[in-house]
Amino acid sequence: EEKSQEMSTNLKYLSLGILVFQTTSLVLTMRYSRTLKEEGPRYLSSTAVVIAELLKILTCVLLVYKESKCNLRTLNRVLHDEILNKPMETLKLAIPSGIYTLQNNLLYVALSNLDAATYQVTYQLKILTTALFSVSMLNKKLGVYQWLSLVILMTGVAFVQWPSDSQATAANEHSACFSSGFAGVYFEKILKETKQSVWIRNIQLGFFGSIFGLMGVYIYDGEQLSKNGFFQGYNKLTWIVVVLQ
């Protein structure tokens, strides 16, 4: 039992370390990719969001395949039973998926105009919005130290942003924080109310995210898409950003 607890603790710290590495490296590479001056057109952030969603679907399908003991027939049955045969459960994921898609596009806009440090600090406001939505939607209770931590967080973000020369970009960042908090808590609520695995849920999220993302590509970048193609401006750095995301 002690060994099991020790392994669980080590796994938590390992997960935290990987998450910190992934988050910081994503911010730095995304910022660099959006400000790097190269010949030809820059890659479209809207298409990068779509590719990231498709990669998420592929990854989660492979994980479900592994859980199905690498049996294609079992995989097909699981996907059919858990997704196609439960249309209302699947449709519930359309709301957070649409919000996540909007959020991911806003983050590209923010990092195209803010330095990485300001972006990283400001985006931590999602902790505040997540806490507020958790209290209101999940009836969670926060302790004194947790509320104090949120006040300190808000103060730190205020100091970083003041004075700000890019109010419009800051507004985009705040919108992303708000959408991140709501979508995260809504997704948690759905996970608690059903018995479906998180991989199945992410496949559903990715499906709707791909549809919403493609709509955004053709609505906002349709003209550029017709001129230079879907993968215009893509290079190794772009693919690193997509994989990290």
Side-chain angles (χ1 to χ4, degrees):
E1 187 176 346
E2 290 180 359
K3 287 184 178 180
S4 178
Q5 290 180 349
E6 185 179 352
M7 288 180 63
S8 178
T9 302
N10 291 336
L11 183 60
K12 287 179 180 179
Y13 282 117
L14 177 62
S15 301
L16 178 61
I18 293 173
L19 181 62
V20 170
F21 172 77
Q22 183 265 335
T23 304
T24 53
S25 56
L26 172 61
V27 170
L28 293 173
T29 53
M30 189 186 290
R31 167 67 178 170
Y32 184 64
S33 71
R34 298 306 293 170
T35 56
L36 182 65
K37 293 183 179 180
E38 289 187 332
E39 295 183 2
R42 180 188 296 175
Y43 75 92
L44 301 175
S45 59
S46 56
T47 63
V49 170
V50 173
I51 298 299
E53 292 297 325
L54 293 175
L55 280 178
K56 179 168 68 177
I57 294 174
L58 176 61
T59 303
C60 291
V61 167
L62 290 175
L63 288 167
V64 175
Y65 176 67
K66 183 181 177 182
E67 288 184 347
S68 304
K69 298 180 180 179
C70 300
N71 187 304
L72 285 175
R73 184 173 295 178
T74 304
L75 171 66
N76 182 62
R77 178 177 57 78
V78 170
L79 295 178
H80 190 271
D81 292 346
E82 297 297 329
I83 298 177
L84 295 180
N85 284 352
K86 297 179 180 178
M88 295 309 298
E89 293 294 323
T90 299
L91 282 172
K92 287 181 181 179
L93 272 296
I95 296 174
S97 180
I99 297 173
Y100 276 132
T101 305
L102 171 64
Q103 169 199 327
N104 289 332
N105 280 283
L106 288 174
L107 295 186
Y108 275 100
V109 175
L111 270 173
S112 299
N113 296 278
L114 292 173
D115 63 88
T118 302
Y119 164 91
Q120 189 74 306
V121 174
T122 307
Y123 192 42
Q124 298 315 306
L125 276 177
K126 66 182 179 180
I127 298 174
L128 172 64
T129 58
T130 301
L132 296 176
F133 282 121
S134 295
V135 170
S136 60
M137 294 173 63
L138 300 177
N139 296 320
K140 287 187 176 181
K141 294 182 179 180
L142 302 181
V144 176
Y145 288 111
Q146 291 171 315
W147 283 114
L148 180 60
S149 299
L150 292 174
V151 171
I152 295 173
L153 170 67
M154 291 178 62
T155 304
V157 172
F159 275 120
V160 168
Q161 282 202 346
W162 181 81
S164 176
D165 296 326
S166 183
Q167 294 181 353
T169 305
N172 284 331
E173 187 72 356
H174 293 154
S175 298
C177 294
F178 184 86
S179 63
S180 175
F182 177 78
V185 173
Y186 185 92
F187 187 46
E188 182 181 350
K189 183 177 176 67
I190 290 176
L191 286 175
K192 288 183 175 181
E193 291 177 349
T194 59
K195 295 181 180 180
Q196 288 179 312
S197 73
V198 68
W199 310 129
I200 292 293
R201 287 306 194 186
N202 271 297
I203 293 172
Q204 294 167 318
L205 279 176
F207 171 74
F208 288 112
S210 302
I211 294 176
F212 291 135
L214 284 171
M215 290 171 60
V217 170
Y218 286 100
I219 291 173
Y220 296 106
D221 296 316
E223 187 175 344
Q224 288 180 273
L225 194 71
S226 61
K227 288 182 180 179
N228 301 303
F230 192 90
F231 293 102
Q232 58 181 282
Y234 273 61
N235 52 33
K236 291 182 180 179
L237 183 61
T238 309
W239 285 108
I240 291 174
V241 171
V242 170
V243 170
L244 283 172
Q245 192 175 33

